[in-house]
Amino acid sequence: MSDLAKIPVTVVTGFLGAGKTTLISHLIESSKDHRLAVIVNEFGDVGVDGEILRSCAIPGCPAENIVELVNGCICCTVADDFIPTIGALLDLDPVPEHILIETSGLALPKPLLKAFDWPAIRSKVTVDGVIALADAEAVAAGRFAPDIDRVNAQRLADDSIDHETPLSEVFEDQIACADIVLLTKPDLAGPEGVARARTIIERDAPRAIPVIEVSEGVADAQVILGIEAAAEGDLAARPSHHDGAPEHDHEDFDTIVVDVPEVESANDLVERIESLARRQNVLRVKGYASVRDKPMRLLVQGVGARVRHQFDRAWERGENRQGRLVVIAEHDDIDPEAIRSILVPVEHVQ
């Protein structure tokens, strides 16, 4: 690698369940002529997203080029996790031509951009662009606020009112940092929902940002890679609610991991997750489970009461068929015992 050549890095951010992993999977599959590396940041200690991406690894992005950071949110663990990981990727032979970073759904992108000015890496990498994914249906409905009707009414009545919740601040910080916004799942939002989501994004964006509708994570790599934004040198144009704050943490959110015994059917587990969303107001559920008499592992992705599931791979011989689910909720809403009682049938409770 020339001393003057910096490896481009694309940061993929967005609200929980917006489709970041699906997008990166598509980029891996459609960029076969480029050597890619991927950093996946899980909020929790079950590497679900990393396993999804490794399942679609190709010669240009082999499994060893896909690295998970599981010790917390990437914007809070820059020194301990992110900088050493970037260093390890730069030591690969051959060196990746482009690095993709999937942040946690709760991550603030700006602290991550600031890390690219660290002496150990600033001469070697540059932020090619920040891609923010926004779930059209969720944005249109204002799900990032706990009291949707009241918050929307206040905002419509008086633009000066600022009763923001932690979720709305995360969302706005991600939009403010973006070079391109991908509006995902437009089919679920419908034309009116898409229009409403666009209005919200344009209202909250600090500058004109392209907004592109995408379905099933299919976005043209020529559009979202090669932006050459050098975003680490453009921080003033990317305001954050946390500018000036000494540090950022996630005390507003909690995450728990639930071990799930073998389930009778996929529908049984889906119904329990839907019930959990209604009764405990959780934000996100993701993980995998074993279904009785099925040779394949069941992968589950839930955002609120909307749950998607699929069989992703065969259980390996001798592998422990133990299901695990990560549950994320706002700090005041999470009740570990209540969550476990809903996800784990009574007959399996020890």
Side-chain angles (χ1 to χ4, degrees):
M1 181 179 67
S2 167
D3 290 340
L4 299 179
K6 292 186 178 183
I7 295 175
V9 178
T10 295
V11 177
V12 180
T13 187
F15 195 69
L16 296 170
K20 299 185 297 294
T21 303
T22 304
L23 171 70
I24 292 178
S25 297
H26 171 73
L27 292 175
I28 291 174
E29 294 168 356
S30 62
S31 302
K32 297 180 180 179
D33 295 331
H34 293 82
R35 294 191 305 276
L36 300 180
V38 181
I39 297 175
V40 184
N41 180 217
E42 284 281 0
F43 194 80
D45 59 0
V46 178
V48 174
D49 290 348
E51 290 206 29
I52 295 172
L53 294 175
R54 276 192 289 271
S55 70
C56 62
I58 59 173
C61 186
E64 57 267 25
N65 283 29
I66 301 172
V67 181
E68 291 176 272
L69 302 182
V70 298
N71 294 325
C73 185
I74 193 170
C75 62
C76 305
T77 60
V78 166
D80 294 335
D81 286 335
F82 174 67
I83 299 299
T85 298
I86 286 287
L89 291 179
L90 295 177
D91 288 337
L92 289 173
D93 186 12
V95 176
E97 295 174 320
H98 202 116
I99 298 173
L100 305 174
I101 299 177
E102 177 189 344
T103 71
S104 156
L106 302 176
L108 300 177
K110 194 166 182 177
L112 179 60
L113 298 190
K114 291 179 179 179
F116 284 85
D117 194 40
W118 280 52
I121 63 171
R122 65 188 176 193
S123 65
K124 301 176 183 178
V125 293
T126 182
V127 182
D128 180 70
V130 179
I131 310 300
L133 276 68
D135 182 312
E137 185 183 34
V139 174
R143 286 202 194 109
F144 36 79
D147 191 335
I148 306 302
D149 293 336
R150 176 178 294 180
V151 171
N152 285 344
Q154 288 175 332
R155 289 180 67 96
L156 290 173
D158 187 346
D159 290 339
S160 68
I161 291 178
D162 186 18
H163 292 172
E164 300 296 338
T165 67
L167 288 179
S168 67
E169 289 185 6
V170 171
F171 173 76
E172 289 172 6
D173 275 20
Q174 291 171 345
I175 295 299
C177 223
D179 295 288
I180 294 177
V181 176
L182 300 184
L183 203 55
T184 63
K185 307 169 190 173
D187 54 322
L188 297 179
E192 291 185 3
V194 168
R196 190 178 305 116
R198 283 181 174 273
T199 298
I200 292 171
I201 291 169
E202 290 168 1
R203 181 193 65 199
D204 292 339
R207 62 195 184 284
I209 301 172
V211 179
I212 303 170
E213 295 176 38
V214 299
S215 297
E216 301 298 330
V218 179
D220 192 336
Q222 296 181 82
V223 175
I224 61 177
L225 302 182
I227 297 175
E228 299 183 357
E232 71 277 14
D234 188 34
L235 297 179
R238 304 166 193 261
S240 165
H241 286 281
H242 297 263
D243 284 342
E247 60 181 332
H248 159 65
D249 58 41
H250 286 304
E251 292 180 356
D252 295 311
F253 307 98
D254 274 337
T255 179
I256 68 169
V257 177
V258 180
D259 291 330
V260 179
E262 191 170 64
V263 298
E264 292 294 329
S265 68
N267 288 339
D268 173 60
L269 182 58
V270 169
E271 288 174 1
R272 281 190 261 138
I273 294 173
E274 291 172 343
S275 174
L276 177 66
R278 291 191 297 269
R279 295 162 58 184
Q280 291 294 315
N281 196 31
V282 301
L283 304 172
R284 187 81 159 92
V285 177
K286 58 182 176 179
Y288 50 86
S290 172
V291 179
R292 183 164 298 172
D293 299 325
K294 298 292 185 181
M296 302 284 286
R297 189 180 70 169
L298 182 71
L299 195 66
V300 180
Q301 303 267 8
V303 181
R306 192 172 72 222
V307 183
R308 293 187 175 187
H309 62 283
Q310 67 184 63
F311 290 100
D312 70 327
R313 67 167 175 82
W315 289 100
E316 297 177 4
R317 179 175 296 180
E319 183 178 6
N320 180 18
R321 292 180 52 137
Q322 172 70 62
R324 305 197 80 191
L325 297 176
V326 175
V327 180
I328 304 173
E330 290 190 86
H331 180 74
D332 293 338
D333 290 332
I334 204 158
D335 183 339
E337 293 308 313
I339 289 171
R340 289 189 174 91
S341 70
I342 294 171
L343 292 178
V344 180
V346 175
E347 60 269 22
H348 292 284
V349 177
Q350 298 277 319

PDB file of all heavy atoms in Angstrom, residues 46-77:
ATOM      1  N   VAL A  46     -24.302 -11.736  21.771  1.00  0.00           N
ATOM      2  CA  VAL A  46     -24.599 -12.827  20.853  1.00  0.00           C
ATOM      3  C   VAL A  46     -24.318 -12.341  19.447  1.00  0.00           C
ATOM      4  O   VAL A  46     -24.922 -11.382  18.989  1.00  0.00           O
ATOM      5  CB  VAL A  46     -26.071 -13.275  20.964  1.00  0.00           C
ATOM      6  CG1 VAL A  46     -26.366 -14.373  19.964  1.00  0.00           C
ATOM      7  CG2 VAL A  46     -26.349 -13.781  22.370  1.00  0.00           C
ATOM      8  N   GLY A  47     -23.364 -12.948  18.757  1.00  0.00           N
ATOM      9  CA  GLY A  47     -22.928 -12.461  17.457  1.00  0.00           C
ATOM     10  C   GLY A  47     -23.823 -12.883  16.322  1.00  0.00           C
ATOM     11  O   GLY A  47     -23.385 -13.558  15.398  1.00  0.00           O
ATOM     12  N   VAL A  48     -25.069 -12.469  16.325  1.00  0.00           N
ATOM     13  CA  VAL A  48     -26.011 -12.878  15.287  1.00  0.00           C
ATOM     14  C   VAL A  48     -25.656 -12.259  13.948  1.00  0.00           C
ATOM     15  O   VAL A  48     -25.564 -12.940  12.928  1.00  0.00           O
ATOM     16  CB  VAL A  48     -27.453 -12.492  15.686  1.00  0.00           C
ATOM     17  CG1 VAL A  48     -28.422 -12.793  14.550  1.00  0.00           C
ATOM     18  CG2 VAL A  48     -27.872 -13.244  16.937  1.00  0.00           C
ATOM     19  N   ASP A  49     -25.453 -10.930  13.919  1.00  0.00           N
ATOM     20  CA  ASP A  49     -25.178 -10.263  12.655  1.00  0.00           C
ATOM     21  C   ASP A  49     -23.895 -10.786  12.019  1.00  0.00           C
ATOM     22  O   ASP A  49     -23.815 -10.958  10.802  1.00  0.00           O
ATOM     23  CB  ASP A  49     -25.071  -8.751  12.863  1.00  0.00           C
ATOM     24  CG  ASP A  49     -26.423  -8.126  13.207  1.00  0.00           C
ATOM     25  OD1 ASP A  49     -27.435  -8.830  13.056  1.00  0.00           O
ATOM     26  OD2 ASP A  49     -26.454  -6.957  13.618  1.00  0.00           O
ATOM     27  N   GLY A  50     -22.872 -11.027  12.838  1.00  0.00           N
ATOM     28  CA  GLY A  50     -21.633 -11.560  12.297  1.00  0.00           C
ATOM     29  C   GLY A  50     -21.826 -12.908  11.642  1.00  0.00           C
ATOM     30  O   GLY A  50     -21.250 -13.197  10.588  1.00  0.00           O
ATOM     31  N   GLU A  51     -22.645 -13.755  12.235  1.00  0.00           N
ATOM     32  CA  GLU A  51     -22.896 -15.067  11.644  1.00  0.00           C
ATOM     33  C   GLU A  51     -23.647 -14.948  10.330  1.00  0.00           C
ATOM     34  O   GLU A  51     -23.400 -15.692   9.381  1.00  0.00           O
ATOM     35  CB  GLU A  51     -23.678 -15.938  12.628  1.00  0.00           C
ATOM     36  CG  GLU A  51     -22.850 -16.359  13.833  1.00  0.00           C
ATOM     37  CD  GLU A  51     -23.356 -17.660  14.431  1.00  0.00           C
ATOM     38  OE1 GLU A  51     -23.912 -18.477  13.676  1.00  0.00           O
ATOM     39  OE2 GLU A  51     -23.202 -17.841  15.633  1.00  0.00           O
ATOM     40  N   ILE A  52     -24.594 -14.005  10.253  1.00  0.00           N
ATOM     41  CA  ILE A  52     -25.310 -13.791   8.999  1.00  0.00           C
ATOM     42  C   ILE A  52     -24.330 -13.418   7.892  1.00  0.00           C
ATOM     43  O   ILE A  52     -24.381 -13.947   6.782  1.00  0.00           O
ATOM     44  CB  ILE A  52     -26.366 -12.683   9.166  1.00  0.00           C
ATOM     45  CG1 ILE A  52     -27.457 -13.109  10.149  1.00  0.00           C
ATOM     46  CG2 ILE A  52     -27.011 -12.346   7.816  1.00  0.00           C
ATOM     47  CD1 ILE A  52     -28.417 -11.996  10.507  1.00  0.00           C
ATOM     48  N   LEU A  53     -23.429 -12.483   8.193  1.00  0.00           N
ATOM     49  CA  LEU A  53     -22.497 -12.018   7.178  1.00  0.00           C
ATOM     50  C   LEU A  53     -21.488 -13.091   6.797  1.00  0.00           C
ATOM     51  O   LEU A  53     -21.156 -13.249   5.622  1.00  0.00           O
ATOM     52  CB  LEU A  53     -21.780 -10.754   7.668  1.00  0.00           C
ATOM     53  CG  LEU A  53     -22.684  -9.529   7.842  1.00  0.00           C
ATOM     54  CD1 LEU A  53     -21.892  -8.379   8.456  1.00  0.00           C
ATOM     55  CD2 LEU A  53     -23.295  -9.103   6.522  1.00  0.00           C
ATOM     56  N   ARG A  54     -21.004 -13.854   7.777  1.00  0.00           N
ATOM     57  CA  ARG A  54     -20.048 -14.909   7.445  1.00  0.00           C
ATOM     58  C   ARG A  54     -20.675 -15.979   6.560  1.00  0.00           C
ATOM     59  O   ARG A  54     -19.998 -16.630   5.778  1.00  0.00           O
ATOM     60  CB  ARG A  54     -19.479 -15.525   8.720  1.00  0.00           C
ATOM     61  CG  ARG A  54     -18.297 -14.736   9.289  1.00  0.00           C
ATOM     62  CD  ARG A  54     -17.572 -15.514  10.374  1.00  0.00           C
ATOM     63  NE  ARG A  54     -18.387 -15.604  11.568  1.00  0.00           N
ATOM     64  CZ  ARG A  54     -18.372 -14.700  12.542  1.00  0.00           C
ATOM     65  NH1 ARG A  54     -17.610 -13.632  12.433  1.00  0.00           N
ATOM     66  NH2 ARG A  54     -19.134 -14.840  13.608  1.00  0.00           N
ATOM     67  N   SER A  55     -21.997 -16.144   6.666  1.00  0.00           N
ATOM     68  CA  SER A  55     -22.671 -17.152   5.846  1.00  0.00           C
ATOM     69  C   SER A  55     -22.674 -16.785   4.367  1.00  0.00           C
ATOM     70  O   SER A  55     -22.897 -17.632   3.519  1.00  0.00           O
ATOM     71  CB  SER A  55     -24.115 -17.348   6.332  1.00  0.00           C
ATOM     72  OG  SER A  55     -24.911 -16.219   6.036  1.00  0.00           O
ATOM     73  N   CYS A  56     -22.438 -15.481   4.045  1.00  0.00           N
ATOM     74  CA  CYS A  56     -22.402 -15.076   2.637  1.00  0.00           C
ATOM     75  C   CYS A  56     -20.997 -14.646   2.230  1.00  0.00           C
ATOM     76  O   CYS A  56     -20.826 -13.910   1.250  1.00  0.00           O
ATOM     77  CB  CYS A  56     -23.413 -13.959   2.368  1.00  0.00           C
ATOM     78  SG  CYS A  56     -23.136 -12.432   3.257  1.00  0.00           S
ATOM     79  N   ALA A  57     -19.981 -15.089   2.976  1.00  0.00           N
ATOM     80  CA  ALA A  57     -18.604 -14.735   2.648  1.00  0.00           C
ATOM     81  C   ALA A  57     -18.229 -15.267   1.266  1.00  0.00           C
ATOM     82  O   ALA A  57     -18.689 -16.317   0.833  1.00  0.00           O
ATOM     83  CB  ALA A  57     -17.650 -15.293   3.707  1.00  0.00           C
ATOM     84  N   ILE A  58     -17.393 -14.509   0.575  1.00  0.00           N
ATOM     85  CA  ILE A  58     -16.923 -14.867  -0.761  1.00  0.00           C
ATOM     86  C   ILE A  58     -15.404 -14.721  -0.776  1.00  0.00           C
ATOM     87  O   ILE A  58     -14.816 -14.190   0.172  1.00  0.00           O
ATOM     88  CB  ILE A  58     -17.560 -13.949  -1.826  1.00  0.00           C
ATOM     89  CG1 ILE A  58     -17.200 -12.471  -1.526  1.00  0.00           C
ATOM     90  CG2 ILE A  58     -19.070 -14.119  -1.885  1.00  0.00           C
ATOM     91  CD1 ILE A  58     -17.635 -11.502  -2.606  1.00  0.00           C
ATOM     92  N   PRO A  59     -14.724 -15.165  -1.862  1.00  0.00           N
ATOM     93  CA  PRO A  59     -13.267 -15.043  -1.885  1.00  0.00           C
ATOM     94  C   PRO A  59     -12.772 -13.620  -1.642  1.00  0.00           C
ATOM     95  O   PRO A  59     -11.754 -13.410  -0.985  1.00  0.00           O
ATOM     96  CB  PRO A  59     -12.905 -15.536  -3.292  1.00  0.00           C
ATOM     97  CG  PRO A  59     -13.983 -16.530  -3.601  1.00  0.00           C
ATOM     98  CD  PRO A  59     -15.237 -15.963  -2.993  1.00  0.00           C
ATOM     99  N   GLY A  60     -13.498 -12.607  -2.168  1.00  0.00           N
ATOM    100  CA  GLY A  60     -13.079 -11.224  -1.974  1.00  0.00           C
ATOM    101  C   GLY A  60     -13.311 -10.719  -0.573  1.00  0.00           C
ATOM    102  O   GLY A  60     -12.767  -9.691  -0.168  1.00  0.00           O
ATOM    103  N   CYS A  61     -14.143 -11.410   0.182  1.00  0.00           N
ATOM    104  CA  CYS A  61     -14.401 -11.049   1.582  1.00  0.00           C
ATOM    105  C   CYS A  61     -14.561 -12.339   2.377  1.00  0.00           C
ATOM    106  O   CYS A  61     -15.676 -12.711   2.759  1.00  0.00           O
ATOM    107  CB  CYS A  61     -15.655 -10.172   1.693  1.00  0.00           C
ATOM    108  SG  CYS A  61     -15.950  -9.555   3.368  1.00  0.00           S
ATOM    109  N   PRO A  62     -13.455 -13.053   2.614  1.00  0.00           N
ATOM    110  CA  PRO A  62     -13.525 -14.326   3.327  1.00  0.00           C
ATOM    111  C   PRO A  62     -13.955 -14.132   4.772  1.00  0.00           C
ATOM    112  O   PRO A  62     -13.919 -13.013   5.302  1.00  0.00           O
ATOM    113  CB  PRO A  62     -12.092 -14.864   3.240  1.00  0.00           C
ATOM    114  CG  PRO A  62     -11.247 -13.641   3.069  1.00  0.00           C
ATOM    115  CD  PRO A  62     -12.073 -12.678   2.262  1.00  0.00           C
ATOM    116  N   ALA A  63     -14.342 -15.224   5.406  1.00  0.00           N
ATOM    117  CA  ALA A  63     -14.871 -15.149   6.765  1.00  0.00           C
ATOM    118  C   ALA A  63     -13.892 -14.491   7.729  1.00  0.00           C
ATOM    119  O   ALA A  63     -14.300 -13.786   8.653  1.00  0.00           O
ATOM    120  CB  ALA A  63     -15.238 -16.554   7.260  1.00  0.00           C
ATOM    121  N   GLU A  64     -12.578 -14.700   7.513  1.00  0.00           N
ATOM    122  CA  GLU A  64     -11.613 -14.119   8.446  1.00  0.00           C
ATOM    123  C   GLU A  64     -11.532 -12.590   8.317  1.00  0.00           C
ATOM    124  O   GLU A  64     -10.933 -11.921   9.166  1.00  0.00           O
ATOM    125  CB  GLU A  64     -10.223 -14.730   8.250  1.00  0.00           C
ATOM    126  CG  GLU A  64      -9.662 -14.605   6.853  1.00  0.00           C
ATOM    127  CD  GLU A  64      -9.985 -15.826   5.986  1.00  0.00           C
ATOM    128  OE1 GLU A  64     -10.993 -16.508   6.273  1.00  0.00           O
ATOM    129  OE2 GLU A  64      -9.216 -16.091   5.051  1.00  0.00           O
ATOM    130  N   ASN A  65     -12.101 -12.027   7.250  1.00  0.00           N
ATOM    131  CA  ASN A  65     -12.138 -10.570   7.093  1.00  0.00           C
ATOM    132  C   ASN A  65     -13.368  -9.947   7.745  1.00  0.00           C
ATOM    133  O   ASN A  65     -13.573  -8.741   7.648  1.00  0.00           O
ATOM    134  CB  ASN A  65     -12.127 -10.187   5.607  1.00  0.00           C
ATOM    135  CG  ASN A  65     -10.748 -10.311   4.981  1.00  0.00           C
ATOM    136  OD1 ASN A  65      -9.946 -11.124   5.414  1.00  0.00           O
ATOM    137  ND2 ASN A  65     -10.485  -9.525   3.957  1.00  0.00           N
ATOM    138  N   ILE A  66     -14.199 -10.759   8.368  1.00  0.00           N
ATOM    139  CA  ILE A  66     -15.405 -10.274   9.026  1.00  0.00           C
ATOM    140  C   ILE A  66     -15.186 -10.381  10.532  1.00  0.00           C
ATOM    141  O   ILE A  66     -15.080 -11.474  11.085  1.00  0.00           O
ATOM    142  CB  ILE A  66     -16.640 -11.067   8.577  1.00  0.00           C
ATOM    143  CG1 ILE A  66     -16.810 -10.937   7.059  1.00  0.00           C
ATOM    144  CG2 ILE A  66     -17.893 -10.585   9.307  1.00  0.00           C
ATOM    145  CD1 ILE A  66     -17.892 -11.826   6.477  1.00  0.00           C
ATOM    146  N   VAL A  67     -15.110  -9.234  11.191  1.00  0.00           N
ATOM    147  CA  VAL A  67     -14.728  -9.167  12.603  1.00  0.00           C
ATOM    148  C   VAL A  67     -15.876  -8.596  13.414  1.00  0.00           C
ATOM    149  O   VAL A  67     -16.490  -7.602  13.019  1.00  0.00           O
ATOM    150  CB  VAL A  67     -13.472  -8.291  12.793  1.00  0.00           C
ATOM    151  CG1 VAL A  67     -13.066  -8.255  14.259  1.00  0.00           C
ATOM    152  CG2 VAL A  67     -12.332  -8.783  11.919  1.00  0.00           C
ATOM    153  N   GLU A  68     -16.160  -9.221  14.557  1.00  0.00           N
ATOM    154  CA  GLU A  68     -17.211  -8.739  15.443  1.00  0.00           C
ATOM    155  C   GLU A  68     -16.611  -8.026  16.651  1.00  0.00           C
ATOM    156  O   GLU A  68     -15.610  -8.471  17.214  1.00  0.00           O
ATOM    157  CB  GLU A  68     -18.069  -9.909  15.925  1.00  0.00           C
ATOM    158  CG  GLU A  68     -18.916 -10.545  14.853  1.00  0.00           C
ATOM    159  CD  GLU A  68     -19.646 -11.758  15.415  1.00  0.00           C
ATOM    160  OE1 GLU A  68     -19.074 -12.855  15.382  1.00  0.00           O
ATOM    161  OE2 GLU A  68     -20.775 -11.571  15.890  1.00  0.00           O
ATOM    162  N   LEU A  69     -17.248  -6.937  17.040  1.00  0.00           N
ATOM    163  CA  LEU A  69     -16.938  -6.257  18.294  1.00  0.00           C
ATOM    164  C   LEU A  69     -18.144  -6.437  19.202  1.00  0.00           C
ATOM    165  O   LEU A  69     -19.212  -5.889  18.930  1.00  0.00           O
ATOM    166  CB  LEU A  69     -16.671  -4.766  18.058  1.00  0.00           C
ATOM    167  CG  LEU A  69     -15.540  -4.423  17.083  1.00  0.00           C
ATOM    168  CD1 LEU A  69     -15.358  -2.910  16.999  1.00  0.00           C
ATOM    169  CD2 LEU A  69     -14.236  -5.085  17.502  1.00  0.00           C
ATOM    170  N   VAL A  70     -17.985  -7.204  20.272  1.00  0.00           N
ATOM    171  CA  VAL A  70     -19.138  -7.588  21.086  1.00  0.00           C
ATOM    172  C   VAL A  70     -19.071  -7.062  22.517  1.00  0.00           C
ATOM    173  O   VAL A  70     -19.886  -7.431  23.350  1.00  0.00           O
ATOM    174  CB  VAL A  70     -19.285  -9.130  21.120  1.00  0.00           C
ATOM    175  CG1 VAL A  70     -19.527  -9.671  19.741  1.00  0.00           C
ATOM    176  CG2 VAL A  70     -18.055  -9.783  21.744  1.00  0.00           C
ATOM    177  N   ASN A  71     -18.126  -6.181  22.796  1.00  0.00           N
ATOM    178  CA  ASN A  71     -17.954  -5.717  24.177  1.00  0.00           C
ATOM    179  C   ASN A  71     -18.705  -4.433  24.497  1.00  0.00           C
ATOM    180  O   ASN A  71     -18.452  -3.797  25.510  1.00  0.00           O
ATOM    181  CB  ASN A  71     -16.462  -5.527  24.473  1.00  0.00           C
ATOM    182  CG  ASN A  71     -15.715  -6.840  24.437  1.00  0.00           C
ATOM    183  OD1 ASN A  71     -16.247  -7.869  24.819  1.00  0.00           O
ATOM    184  ND2 ASN A  71     -14.485  -6.806  23.968  1.00  0.00           N
ATOM    185  N   GLY A  72     -19.616  -4.059  23.636  1.00  0.00           N
ATOM    186  CA  GLY A  72     -20.364  -2.826  23.869  1.00  0.00           C
ATOM    187  C   GLY A  72     -20.420  -2.003  22.612  1.00  0.00           C
ATOM    188  O   GLY A  72     -19.882  -2.367  21.569  1.00  0.00           O
ATOM    189  N   CYS A  73     -21.086  -0.853  22.717  1.00  0.00           N
ATOM    190  CA  CYS A  73     -21.284  -0.002  21.559  1.00  0.00           C
ATOM    191  C   CYS A  73     -19.953   0.547  21.054  1.00  0.00           C
ATOM    192  O   CYS A  73     -19.122   1.011  21.818  1.00  0.00           O
ATOM    193  CB  CYS A  73     -22.235   1.137  21.917  1.00  0.00           C
ATOM    194  SG  CYS A  73     -22.644   2.150  20.506  1.00  0.00           S
ATOM    195  N   ILE A  74     -19.771   0.520  19.750  1.00  0.00           N
ATOM    196  CA  ILE A  74     -18.489   0.867  19.143  1.00  0.00           C
ATOM    197  C   ILE A  74     -18.061   2.288  19.478  1.00  0.00           C
ATOM    198  O   ILE A  74     -16.875   2.575  19.622  1.00  0.00           O
ATOM    199  CB  ILE A  74     -18.563   0.661  17.608  1.00  0.00           C
ATOM    200  CG1 ILE A  74     -17.167   0.692  16.994  1.00  0.00           C
ATOM    201  CG2 ILE A  74     -19.503   1.670  16.961  1.00  0.00           C
ATOM    202  CD1 ILE A  74     -17.156   0.265  15.541  1.00  0.00           C
ATOM    203  N   CYS A  75     -19.048   3.213  19.640  1.00  0.00           N
ATOM    204  CA  CYS A  75     -18.663   4.595  19.931  1.00  0.00           C
ATOM    205  C   CYS A  75     -18.211   4.759  21.368  1.00  0.00           C
ATOM    206  O   CYS A  75     -17.692   5.811  21.744  1.00  0.00           O
ATOM    207  CB  CYS A  75     -19.808   5.559  19.612  1.00  0.00           C
ATOM    208  SG  CYS A  75     -21.325   5.314  20.554  1.00  0.00           S
ATOM    209  N   CYS A  76     -18.409   3.737  22.193  1.00  0.00           N
ATOM    210  CA  CYS A  76     -17.976   3.795  23.594  1.00  0.00           C
ATOM    211  C   CYS A  76     -16.718   2.973  23.844  1.00  0.00           C
ATOM    212  O   CYS A  76     -16.138   3.048  24.919  1.00  0.00           O
ATOM    213  CB  CYS A  76     -19.090   3.273  24.513  1.00  0.00           C
ATOM    214  SG  CYS A  76     -20.660   4.106  24.319  1.00  0.00           S
ATOM    215  N   THR A  77     -16.295   2.182  22.889  1.00  0.00           N
ATOM    216  CA  THR A  77     -15.155   1.281  23.081  1.00  0.00           C
ATOM    217  C   THR A  77     -14.090   1.520  22.015  1.00  0.00           C
ATOM    218  O   THR A  77     -13.424   0.586  21.579  1.00  0.00           O
ATOM    219  CB  THR A  77     -15.612  -0.191  23.047  1.00  0.00           C
ATOM    220  OG1 THR A  77     -16.221  -0.466  21.782  1.00  0.00           O
ATOM    221  CG2 THR A  77     -16.613  -0.472  24.147  1.00  0.00           C
TER     222      THR A  77
END
